[in-house]
Amino acid sequence: MPMTATTVLTARALLLDMDGTLVNSDAAVERVWRRWADRHGLDGDEVLKVVHGRQGYASMALLLPGRPMEQNLAENARMLAEETADTEGVVEVPGATGFLAALNGVPHALVTSADVPLSTARMKAAGLALPSVRITAESVGASKPDPEGFLKGAAELGVAPEDCVVFEDSGAGVAAGRAAGMRVVGVGPRAGLHRPDAVVRDLRRVRVEKTADGTVRLHLG
């Protein structure tokens, strides 16, 4: 959907990615993954083109094809611990505090490729409250761009996929939302490269309007 001065989407529930969508963790992600790239003799810039939105083991499978998955899973566990300990420079995406406050009473869930410790650490570092419904790495058997996480989020909220709107920043996340049969709002410049249904520069460009019938109108512009 091309953006006009204001685009309006109607939904019954919102499914929110974390990194790049609610939390700007790019500096921490870059530090950790560039160190990983150096250890494996890979180009850091090329690695960073792959890792956003995916669980670490899934990124490793793409970057080191043929390596046994057990090694990817073991290294992913170490990487998650490293990322959890590194919150320097982690801040909210502009407008995230107000956006989350406006969702009080609106069915919504966090759907992130981070695990519980990492998502808790980054949301805390950014000064953001965790939604009560959370789908994390521990909740799913497949990483984005597989739609499993978004479908589980919709099921937990009791809302049909077609009545959900996803907020995402990465190619893997946009693809996952689409595969789940949901409309996708892209947040930030990275999202715009992947043709979501609508794009906003940041969350200051989203106005949430609650309606009497329990739906929510999202004014995007």
Side-chain angles (χ1 to χ4, degrees):
M1 179 184 298
M3 287 292 285
T4 55
T6 303
T7 295
V8 180
L9 298 179
T10 301
R12 292 195 172 275
L14 306 184
L15 301 174
L16 315 174
D17 175 52
M18 182 183 71
D19 291 301
T21 302
L22 298 174
V23 171
N24 182 347
S25 57
D26 281 0
V29 169
E30 181 163 338
R31 284 193 296 272
V32 169
W33 280 98
R34 282 193 183 280
R35 288 196 296 267
W36 182 88
D38 287 344
R39 289 197 296 269
H40 292 281
L42 299 174
D43 182 272
D45 291 338
E46 295 303 312
V47 166
L48 288 170
K49 292 177 183 178
V50 171
V51 300
H52 291 291
R54 291 182 171 85
Q55 291 193 45
Y57 74 84
S59 297
M60 293 171 192
L62 292 173
L63 292 162
L64 297 173
R67 189 169 83 152
M69 185 56 72
E70 311 87 74
Q71 291 185 32
N72 294 336
L73 291 168
E75 192 167 28
N76 182 52
R78 294 192 293 272
M79 291 279 285
L80 283 168
E82 191 177 343
E83 289 184 281
T84 301
D86 184 356
T87 57
E88 183 181 351
V90 173
V91 296
E92 71 168 297
V93 167
T97 296
F99 175 63
L100 288 173
L103 297 185
N104 184 34
V106 175
H108 65 285
L110 187 73
V111 181
T112 175
S113 293
D115 63 3
V116 168
L118 179 57
S119 58
T120 302
R122 284 189 175 159
M123 291 288 280
K124 181 180 178 181
L128 299 175
L130 279 161
S132 58
V133 178
R134 300 184 287 277
I135 306 298
T136 62
E138 296 93 339
S139 310
V140 297
S143 169
K144 298 173 186 177
D146 190 282
E148 181 185 3
F150 287 125
L151 292 172
K152 282 197 168 183
E156 186 127 351
L157 295 171
V159 177
E162 61 267 25
D163 291 327
C164 296
V165 168
V166 165
F167 281 73
E168 263 288 357
D169 75 301
S170 71
V174 172
R178 279 215 197 95
M182 301 171 182
R183 291 154 294 157
V184 182
V185 175
V187 180
R190 188 161 53 224
L193 301 174
H194 304 288
R195 304 174 69 85
D197 295 282
V199 183
V200 292
R201 184 175 66 244
D202 57 46
L203 295 171
R204 293 174 297 187
R205 310 298 294 179
V206 181
R207 181 168 66 85
V208 177
E209 178 193 358
K210 302 168 192 173
T211 66
D213 66 357
T215 60
V216 58
R217 289 194 191 99
L218 301 168
H219 299 261
L220 313 165

